[in-house]
Amino acid sequence: MTKIGVVIPTAFTRPEYLPLAHDSIAQQAGNFELKILVGCPQEKLNEVKASLPENAEVIAESKFGGLASKLDVMLGSLSECDYIAW
């Protein structure tokens, strides 16, 4: 079966939409690997995780590097996928 890797990068300016984005992708038919890159202070990371399903993979973005380097880290963290979207 085709596997699709999906990365959701967020600047944490509208955190209320993260659960909706996660659920929208998770409810699609298919084999997905979904990761969320959150640009928020470390102390808010637990709040973000609490708003998402237990199995959601949430990673705090590094303070270093721009968007390209952060996406590189996220895309590199996906297992072998046939397609990747962000």
Side-chain angles (χ1 to χ4, degrees), residues 12 15 18-19 36 38 40 44-52 58:
F12 199 65
L18 279 176
I36 301 171
V38 181
C40 71
K44 291 207 176 235
L45 193 60
N46 288 334
E47 179 184 326
V48 172
K49 287 181 178 181
S51 72
L52 295 165
V58 179

Side-chain angles (χ1 to χ4, degrees), residues 14-69:
R14 295 178 299 251
E16 66 275 11
Y17 292 110
L18 279 176
L20 295 171
H22 179 278
D23 292 347
S24 176
I25 295 165
Q27 292 174 8
Q28 300 298 314
N31 184 16
F32 291 93
E33 180 176 347
L34 175 59
K35 299 197 181 213
I36 301 171
L37 176 67
V38 181
C40 71
Q42 187 66 36
E43 60 272 6
K44 291 207 176 235
L45 193 60
N46 288 334
E47 179 184 326
V48 172
K49 287 181 178 181
S51 72
L52 295 165
E54 239 180 78
N55 63 341
E57 289 194 55
V58 179
I59 300 170
E61 79 176 31
S62 168
K63 295 181 211 177
F64 307 104
L67 178 61
S69 66

